[in-house]
Amino acid sequence: MALSLGCCALALSGPASAGDWTFGGSYSTRFDYNDNYFLDSSDPQSVFSSVSSLGLKADWRDDTQTFSLNGSTTYSRFFGEGSDVLLPAIEPRVSTSYSVKTKRTTSTVGASFTYDDISRLDPTDPDGFTIDNFRTSYGLNASVRHLVDRRNTVTLSNSLSFDTFSGSGATNDDRWSSNTSLSWNHLLTKRTSVSLTGSVSDTFIDDDEETHRRIYRLSSSLNNRFSDRLRARVGGG
């Protein structure tokens, strides 16, 4: 079981004077609890963690185009009986996107880079030897959103990611992942809509067996916008 609680969130943003550029920043902290962090049924160990994130973003836009550049750093600390081998972790992330819209269609492409330090201490070493393990992730995504009529919208999207692992303690194999989805949204009233989404996900793992996994998903949701700040969503799949 895993629980997450967010608090102390602060966001700062404001327009800059240089044309259509907008700059912003954000800070957030959340607290997580997992009663079996290492997924070991014979010896479950609980772990508490605090996760703090600092982000900066820059947006440029005109009547038909939008360009965004985002950067963030996440710092995690761990507590509890299972935290003895877990080191504080810093995870930098950079992402960018570009979109262009016409009267009925909006097309978007994007890319991301994440570096995650998942090193641990060796529990068998009295001197606290560190088992180095680093994950580097690269991502690409694209989507097309088309307004069929006043009540119906169709969105086709695809994402690709590549995860590579390095370090003396790296035990995971490099992997490619892709996800393709098609969604339909129907406006029931001015504030309420229903959505239906179908997707297929593929994972290719660079191991001795050249593992390939494929997952099909079908989900639906009912969405309601009470105001510009309050929204509700109920879904299943």
Side-chain angles (χ1 to χ4, degrees):
M1 179 183 69
L3 299 175
S4 178
L5 174 65
C7 69
C8 301
L10 173 66
L12 300 172
S13 64
S17 59
D20 294 312
W21 282 99
T22 301
F23 300 92
S26 65
Y27 172 78
S28 66
T29 297
R30 77 173 193 267
F31 298 91
D32 298 339
Y33 170 74
N34 193 317
D35 63 356
N36 189 4
Y37 187 87
F38 301 103
L39 302 179
D40 186 349
S41 58
S42 62
D43 183 25
Q45 298 186 49
S46 60
V47 172
F48 293 87
S49 62
S50 66
V51 183
S52 300
S53 299
L54 177 65
L56 297 172
K57 67 177 300 183
D59 296 323
W60 175 88
R61 67 182 65 217
D62 63 13
D63 293 338
T64 61
Q65 302 174 91
T66 301
F67 171 77
S68 297
L69 180 62
N70 301 275
S72 65
T73 299
T74 300
Y75 178 72
S76 304
R77 288 185 61 88
F78 303 93
F79 312 90
E81 61 178 339
S83 65
D84 294 342
V85 299
L86 299 176
L87 295 171
I90 297 178
E91 178 183 322
R93 174 182 170 84
V94 177
S95 63
T96 185
S97 66
Y98 171 75
S99 65
V100 59
K101 65 179 181 179
T102 61
K103 184 177 181 179
R104 290 182 175 270
T105 304
T106 301
S107 303
T108 304
V109 294
S112 64
F113 169 81
T114 305
Y115 183 80
D116 190 8
D117 184 352
I118 51 177
S119 302
R120 298 180 179 180
L121 294 175
D122 185 352
T124 64
D125 191 326
D127 296 326
F129 177 75
T130 300
I131 304 175
D132 294 327
N133 194 0
F134 307 99
R135 176 176 58 207
T136 305
S137 302
Y138 307 88
L140 295 172
N141 61 82
S143 66
V144 177
R145 180 177 179 270
H146 181 67
L147 180 64
V148 180
D149 54 36
R150 295 176 60 184
R151 291 185 175 271
N152 295 281
T153 304
V154 176
T155 304
L156 176 64
S157 62
N158 179 261
S159 63
L160 297 172
S161 65
F162 175 62
D163 295 337
T164 180
F165 300 85
S166 60
S168 59
T171 57
N172 301 87
D173 297 299
D174 295 347
R175 61 196 61 199
W176 284 92
S177 300
S178 69
N179 182 79
T180 301
S181 66
L182 178 65
S183 64
W184 166 70
N185 185 80
H186 177 69
L187 194 63
L188 299 173
T189 67
K190 185 177 180 180
R191 296 182 178 273
T192 306
S193 65
V194 61
S195 299
L196 180 65
T197 301
S199 66
V200 56
S201 301
D202 289 281
T203 302
F204 302 88
I205 303 176
D206 188 18
D207 55 10
D208 294 336
E209 291 78 22
E210 296 185 352
T211 303
H212 174 212
R213 300 169 182 165
R214 172 168 288 180
I215 300 175
Y216 296 95
R217 295 184 179 92
L218 183 65
S219 62
S220 61
S221 65
L222 180 65
N223 317 285
N224 191 76
R225 181 171 60 87
F226 297 98
S227 68
D228 291 340
R229 295 179 177 270
L230 179 61
R231 303 186 182 192
R233 179 179 182 271
V234 178

